[in-house]
Amino acid sequence: MKFFRDIWLVFQNQLRMLLRQPVWIFINLFQPLMFLLLFAPLLKPALSGGGTISDAEVYRTFVPGLLVMLAIFGGLFQGFGLISELRAGVIERSRVTPVSRTALLLGRSLQDVVSLLVQAVIITLLAMPFGLRVEIGDLLLAYLMLALIALMTSALSYGVALLLKSEDALAPVMNTLSQPLLLLSGILLPLTFAPVWLQRVADWNPFSWAVDGTRALFAGDPGAPEVWQGLVITLVLAVAATVWAARMFARSIR
């Protein structure tokens, strides 16, 4: 019971810090909004393949990928804030507290998940005037997938931040990691448009499975194999990343 109380305390503290500067939520929303408003309309000719396609179908294809992109970027760059706390001695002072070292990680990561879900809801609502329609049950399952991605990427970012302890080192590592993962996930366009060899390479990218699963949910097909495959893969990776990052916290705060 103390473990969950510790998580709640850390979560509350991190959430209060975010609410003092809510502008960061809107800064994180700026790029997805630009994609939604300025890029999505260009997809209609590409997705139609010379035929006809409705605006609703375009946004059912594009918005799930956009939300996965938001979850990836929103999580991978959380480590910069932790490095600032390391430099300020905040993490060092945690040594004298009885708070669980694992709770220090989970409280932070859960705050990142909640922040991501708030942004995902805003993006979904903004896409509805363009014709996006999705069943509430399918939407909640898609949000679960996004939450697992955010948990995985934020835990990974925190672990790497504790390992490197430098923004100058963390930035190139995360940029180098994020670019191929995004390009090989089919976020902007489904990978069915890609050459066969590129599709086979993308099969090794866990985020491509998450994008396919999220698209199936937005299309109203929760029974599609891509859904459970994406959920299983993201769950396993989220648990693995969290366990590794928790060990990094325990090693750094002894």
Side-chain angles (χ1 to χ4, degrees), residues 26 31 34 45 54 64 68 77 117 142 161 173 193 200 210 214 240 249:
F26 298 100
Q31 186 181 40
M34 292 301 99
S54 67
V68 172
F77 293 91
L117 291 177
V173 168
F193 293 93
R200 299 291 76 82
T214 308
F249 262 87

Side-chain angles (χ1 to χ4, degrees), residues 1 41 60 75 79 93 111 121 128 157 166 173-174 205 246 249:
M1 186 61 97
R60 275 200 303 267
R93 289 195 292 272
Q111 182 272 316
V121 170
M128 286 183 173
S157 182
S166 167
V173 168
M174 288 306 166
N205 180 6
F249 262 87

Side-chain angles (χ1 to χ4, degrees), residues 144-179:
L144 173 61
M145 186 105 67
L146 296 174
L148 290 172
I149 294 172
L151 177 62
M152 170 179 56
T153 54
S154 68
L156 178 64
S157 182
Y158 288 136
V160 174
L162 289 171
L163 188 65
L164 300 177
K165 296 182 174 64
S166 167
E167 294 96 334
D168 293 336
L170 182 63
V173 168
M174 288 306 166
N175 281 318
T176 302
L177 180 65
S178 63
Q179 291 304 320

Side-chain angles (χ1 to χ4, degrees), residues 102 105-106 155-156 236-250:
T102 304
L105 166 69
L106 289 177
L156 178 64
V236 170
L237 291 177
V239 170
T242 302
V243 169
W244 174 73
R247 288 178 178 176
M248 291 301 299
F249 262 87

